């Protein structure tokens, strides 16, 4: 479940958490377009009280405003002088350190961007990427905003659901973040397009029909690139950070992530051993060839 701070950002204007009756995703490569969800999406409104209560906090509202300002600067690849940040918070200047801290947390959790002071003399800042996905440079929508943070949250949701999440579960999760199918989001645009074009087509997510479902239902799994470019432990660390806790607070998931780390280490060790053996065989072959000459 997303933190209230994230929800305040992702639904910055306090949009009422009404359900979307058009929450299907038509994903390339599936047997047919996903069906729109009806009853399931209604439960998304249960997340609304927390979201709306937290958004009444003026410091959270200012943090959300500051994030939107930071995103504009990020798209223009500009450094951000502290004076501009102070101007954005306006009359809440005395609370600036707390507002900046909350805004920086949102930028890190949602977008994987860490705010760093790049020029102490002028107190100017810039963003550096810190997510685990090596090819995230290409993971952005037409707006130029990085979407790896949202992808990591979706990977985390799939992981916590037993490594597969139904389409209804994914949209309940996104609705709790203030992201609704068929409704353009101020940060992520149209979410169905984002998921189908930038996550499924690039093979970070797999979208398929649930076996033996009649009428057809659909589910999301980690795609091959997600398995190759991140790990369950890294995603669990991301989920833990987004909920203000630590990976070991999820004992079953933590145990599974540790097992995954061990398996990955074994595969890497086997690959290294195979490479060494191949190198030695090549050396011996060259040595025999030289001796015959």
């Amino acid at each position: 479940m997303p933190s209230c701070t994230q929800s305040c950002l992702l639904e910055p204007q306090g949009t009422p958490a009404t359900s979307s009756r058009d929450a299907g995703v038509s994903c390339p490569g599936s047997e047919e377009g996903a069906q729109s969800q009806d009853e399931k999406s209604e439960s998304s409104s249960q997340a609304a009280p927390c979201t709306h209560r937290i958004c009444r906090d003026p410091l959270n509202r200012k943090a959300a405003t500051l994030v939107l300002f930071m995103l504009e600067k990020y798209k223009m690849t500009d450094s951000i002088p502290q004076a501009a940040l102070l101007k954005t918070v306006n009359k809440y200047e005395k609370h600036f350190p707390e507002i900046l801290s909350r805004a920086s947390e949102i930028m890190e959790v949602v977008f994987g961007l860490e705010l760093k002071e790049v020029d102490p003399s002028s107190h100017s800042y810039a963003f550096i990427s810190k997510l685990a996905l090596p090819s995230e440079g290409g993971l952005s929508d037409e707006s130029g905003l990085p979407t790896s943070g949202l992808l990591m949250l979706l990977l985390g949701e799939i992981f916590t659901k037993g490594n597969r999440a139904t389409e209804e579960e994914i949209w309940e999760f996104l609705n709790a973040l203030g992201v609704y199918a068929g409704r353009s989001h101020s940060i992520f645009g149209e979410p169905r397009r984002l998921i189908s074009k930038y996550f499924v087509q690039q093979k970070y997510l797999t979208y398929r029909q649930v076996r033996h479902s009649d009428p057809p239902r659909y589910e999301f799994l980690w795609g091959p690139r997600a398995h190759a470019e991140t790990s369950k432990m890294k995603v669990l660390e991301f989920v833990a950070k987004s909920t203000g806790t630590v990976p070991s607070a999820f004992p079953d998931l933590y145990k599974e992530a540790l097992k995954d780390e061990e398996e990955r280490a074994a595969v890497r060790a086997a690959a290294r051993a195979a490479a060494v053996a191949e190198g030695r065989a090549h050396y011996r072959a060259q040595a025999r060839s030289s001796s015959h000459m």
Side-chain angles (χ1 to χ4, degrees):
M1 181 59 63
S3 70
C4 289
T5 304
Q6 289 172 246
S7 297
C8 191
L9 162 67
L10 294 174
E11 203 170 3
Q13 281 75 43
T15 307
T18 55
S19 64
S20 170
R21 297 184 61 86
D22 185 25
V25 180
S26 295
C27 291
S30 65
E31 293 84 348
E32 57 184 285
Q35 306 299 311
S36 64
Q37 65 177 39
D38 292 317
E39 298 85 6
K40 287 282 188 176
S41 63
E42 299 296 334
S43 63
S44 66
S45 62
Q46 295 172 2
C50 172
T51 302
H52 291 171
R53 278 199 304 272
I54 205 72
C55 283
R56 293 192 187 109
D57 181 344
L59 298 190
N60 276 338
R61 290 201 304 271
K62 279 297 178 183
T65 300
L66 190 58
V67 165
L68 295 176
F69 173 75
M70 289 175 170
L71 290 173
E72 287 302 316
K73 289 293 186 180
Y74 173 82
K75 287 190 288 184
M76 295 186 290
T77 65
D78 288 346
S79 60
I80 311 173
Q82 188 180 81
L85 297 174
L86 286 167
K87 185 177 180 180
T88 303
V89 302
N90 201 358
K91 63 181 180 179
Y92 289 92
E93 185 173 330
K94 66 179 181 179
H95 299 290
F96 176 71
E98 175 62 20
I99 294 171
L100 181 63
S101 175
R102 297 186 192 188
S104 299
E105 178 189 355
I106 294 169
M107 292 294 293
E108 183 175 341
V109 170
V110 179
F111 298 104
L113 298 172
E114 183 178 6
L115 187 67
K116 287 285 190 180
E117 189 174 26
V118 292
D119 187 350
S121 62
S122 64
H123 299 290
S124 60
Y125 299 84
F127 289 104
I128 62 169
S129 178
K130 58 176 299 182
L131 285 183
L133 297 171
S135 60
E136 68 173 288
L139 255 182
S140 59
D141 57 18
E142 288 93 337
S143 70
L145 295 176
T147 58
S148 298
L150 183 63
L151 173 60
M152 291 288 277
L153 289 172
L154 289 174
L155 293 175
E157 179 69 3
I158 293 169
F159 182 29
T160 61
K161 294 295 184 182
N163 297 307
R164 65 188 66 225
T166 66
E167 186 172 21
E168 292 85 357
E169 289 171 332
I170 287 296
W171 284 104
E172 285 176 12
F173 176 74
L174 289 172
N175 288 172
L177 286 171
V179 179
Y180 302 91
R183 183 187 303 177
S184 182
H185 190 273
S186 60
I187 295 171
F188 298 118
E190 210 296 299
R192 286 174 303 187
R193 176 177 171 80
L194 174 65
I195 291 173
S196 65
K197 182 174 181 180
Y198 294 98
F199 295 164
V200 174
Q201 281 191 4
Q202 294 187 31
K203 302 187 184 302
Y204 285 104
L205 296 179
T206 294
Y207 178 77
R208 71 182 188 187
Q209 182 177 335
V210 177
R211 293 182 63 185
H212 309 304
S213 60
D214 186 19
R217 296 174 60 241
Y218 296 84
E219 64 185 0
F220 289 93
L221 296 84
W222 284 29
R225 286 187 69 177
H227 284 290
E229 297 180 16
T230 189
S231 69
K232 291 181 178 179
M233 184 61 75
K234 289 174 182 176
V235 169
L236 184 58
E237 290 170 352
F238 191 85
V239 170
K241 184 175 181 62
S242 72
T243 54
T245 184
V246 293
S248 57
F250 308 89
D252 292 339
L253 297 177
Y254 188 60
K255 182 178 179 181
E256 183 177 344
L258 284 175
K259 182 180 178 182
D260 181 64
E261 290 293 294
E262 292 171 358
E263 292 172 351
R264 287 171 176 269
V267 169
R268 289 193 296 269
R272 285 195 297 269
V276 169
E278 183 179 353
R280 288 174 177 171
H282 181 68
Y283 175 78
R284 286 194 295 269
Q286 282 190 322
R288 285 195 299 270
S289 175
S290 299
S291 64
H292 289 320
M293 291 178 64

